[in-house]
Amino acid sequence: MAIFGELLATLKDHHGPNTQFQVIHEDLEMNDFNSLFKRMSGIIPDPPSYLLKMDNVYVLASGTNFYKQCIPSNSMHFMMSMTSVHWLSRTSTTFKNAIYKDAKSSTEETVALHKQAELDWETFLLRRSRELKRGGLLVVGICAVFEDRNTGENKYTMYSLVGLLNEVWKEYSESGKISKEEFVNTNISACYRTMKEMRKPFDNKTSPVSRSGLTLLSAEAVVNPDVFYNDWREKKDKEGIDDREEFARMYVSAHRNWSNSTFMNGLSDSRSLEEKEQIVDGLYDDVKKRISRMNPEIFKDDVKFIYLVIRKE
Ligand SMILES: C[S@@+](CC[C@H](N)C(=O)[O-])C[C@H]1O[C@@H](n2cnc3c(N)ncnc32)[C@H](O)[C@@H]1O
């Protein structure tokens, strides 16, 4: 809401108050678009809707998978996609010993993941290239992989949390709470990429993406601090309260929203929906308890992000 409010205010200053704007919010067909419209109109008041302060702005939604073309060719001036292109079009491999690539993953598993990621990144860009007008801009922000300065290890955003989810899920499969097959079938269908992988279609001037007219104006790697760690630390420093339970509660509720479906999908369809939900509720409860017993100084996970600004020539 905030960023589009500011963007539209700037554009209105530039083009005059009577200029009309169309904003299209895009997500998968399963997305809860009804909540989006309730937010736009103010029925859900927070965060405040940018529409309430402006005239001549028209909001639509598109429920189309972004690996397909979502809107007519040559029709968009500006597009923005935040924290979404790490999700792949399909699960490229089933990691046998983990829910996501880790140090023990086989070469075949790792290669399959990165091959799918490369293909998907190209598809995503080619679709957007068709949709953009000449001179139009595409801004992409993506959770990324960075090398840890201390250990030299490649760490992706959510490394601590994914490691812990994996540990508890593995224990469930060892104790028989879930089957071995269900563990193998639980995979995060995403890929955290490096700057080199994100730049590749642009650095190669003969790639289909470059030939489609897309050029990279800037590529920036940023580390955003862990907000839950900051809140915990502030309470500790200012009020003298070491509230690790609150840290764990906030962490799990924020990250359950993107990770829940991975575990629900991994469970066998011979189980009822109720049974699946009970197991997955138990997982997040156990993870929450474990985090609350950890030191946030060690568990904290800064968000590693890459921002790309791309133009259609
Ligand atoms: C972490 S959320 C980010 C949402 C929003 N862009 C933001 O920054 O707050 C990732 C979003 O990407 C959407 N998504 C994942 N794969 C997608 C696809 N293939 N097509 C369209 N949307 C997708 C998810 O449904 C989810 O809403």
Side-chain angles (χ1 to χ4, degrees):
M1 290 296 181
I3 196 166
F4 272 85
E6 280 180 39
L7 184 70
L8 287 161
T10 307
L11 288 168
K12 279 176 167 286
D13 276 351
H14 191 76
H15 295 283
N18 295 329
T19 312
Q20 299 189 335
F21 292 91
Q22 175 176 278
V23 179
I24 305 174
H25 290 269
E26 147 66 24
D27 209 293
L28 285 171
E29 64 275 23
M30 299 293 285
N31 188 51
D32 175 12
F33 284 104
N34 193 237
S35 290
L36 168 74
F37 292 123
K38 285 183 181 153
R39 285 174 195 279
M40 295 312 312
S41 66
I43 294 177
I44 301 177
D46 280 323
S49 165
Y50 60 81
L51 265 193
L52 303 181
K53 288 190 290 184
M54 297 188 186
D55 294 325
N56 296 320
V57 178
Y58 304 94
V59 169
L60 311 174
S62 154
T64 305
N65 190 315
F66 60 43
Y67 291 113
K68 295 183 179 164
Q69 186 166 343
C70 301
I71 39 163
S73 302
N74 198 22
S75 67
M76 290 303 281
H77 291 98
F78 177 77
M79 294 173 137
M80 188 175 94
S81 173
M82 288 292 139
T83 336
S84 59
V85 296
H86 59 295
W87 289 111
L88 301 178
S89 63
R90 56 184 277 271
T91 307
S92 55
T93 182
T94 43
F95 291 106
K96 290 189 186 55
N97 294 308
I99 58 169
Y100 182 66
K101 181 182 74 162
D102 68 5
K104 289 193 222 120
S105 302
S106 69
T107 313
E108 294 85 71
E109 288 170 340
T110 307
V111 168
L113 177 73
H114 286 274
K115 221 168 144 185
Q116 184 66 47
E118 185 174 353
L119 195 71
D120 281 350
W121 181 217
E122 181 181 274
T123 303
F124 177 88
L125 290 170
L126 289 175
R127 299 289 181 261
R128 303 298 78 80
S129 187
R130 283 183 74 89
E131 294 162 349
L132 278 170
K133 283 175 163 299
R134 287 185 80 175
L137 291 178
L138 167 65
V139 176
V140 177
I142 184 174
C143 323
V145 178
F146 283 11
E147 193 175 276
D148 188 293
R149 277 206 204 104
N150 300 322
T151 62
E153 197 181 2
N154 270 351
K155 280 196 166 178
Y156 52 85
T157 301
M158 305 304 146
Y159 189 82
S160 304
L161 182 74
V162 171
L164 194 56
L165 284 164
N166 188 52
E167 190 181 301
V168 176
W169 203 235
K170 185 120 209 191
E171 282 172 21
Y172 281 12
S173 83
E174 281 158 2
S175 68
K177 196 176 256 187
I178 64 167
S179 70
K180 300 265 181 295
E181 199 188 356
E182 287 176 315
F183 180 81
V184 172
N185 286 339
T186 307
N187 296 275
I188 300 180
S189 295
C191 183
Y192 300 102
R193 300 174 176 98
T194 58
M195 178 63 95
K196 199 170 158 208
E197 287 172 301
M198 296 306 285
R199 291 190 61 112
K200 193 174 168 191
F202 304 99
D203 288 343
N204 175 359
K205 299 297 173 223
T206 59
S207 73
V209 169
S210 292
R211 278 189 281 121
S212 80
L214 292 189
T215 56
L216 190 59
L217 297 187
S218 68
E220 194 186 354
V222 173
V223 177
N224 293 318
D226 183 330
V227 287
F228 305 113
Y229 165 78
N230 281 358
D231 288 350
W232 167 81
R233 185 68 202 247
E234 199 178 301
K235 197 166 180 182
K236 188 162 174 264
D237 292 347
K238 287 201 178 137
E239 300 170 41
I241 302 168
D242 179 358
D243 198 347
R244 297 187 186 194
E245 278 191 15
E246 173 71 357
F247 172 74
R249 201 179 62 74
M250 293 306 291
Y251 219 96
V252 169
S253 73
H255 293 298
R256 184 168 182 174
N257 74 17
W258 64 263
S259 54
N260 194 73
S261 60
T262 295
F263 297 95
M264 291 295 283
N265 292 341
L267 292 172
S268 160
D269 281 337
S270 63
R271 296 185 190 271
S272 67
L273 180 65
E274 212 180 6
E275 198 185 350
K276 288 185 187 181
E277 283 171 348
Q278 229 171 28
I279 294 172
V280 177
D281 282 349
L283 166 75
Y284 286 100
D285 255 7
D286 286 339
V287 166
K288 189 163 60 186
K289 279 186 203 128
R290 283 194 204 189
I291 299 177
S292 70
R293 292 197 295 264
M294 289 174 170
N295 184 351
E297 296 288 356
I298 294 167
F299 188 78
K300 75 167 171 158
D301 209 348
D302 293 335
V303 180
K304 298 152 193 83
F305 238 76
I306 291 174
Y307 293 103
L308 305 178
V309 181
I310 299 158
R311 186 168 61 203
K312 174 79 185 273
E313 302 298 348

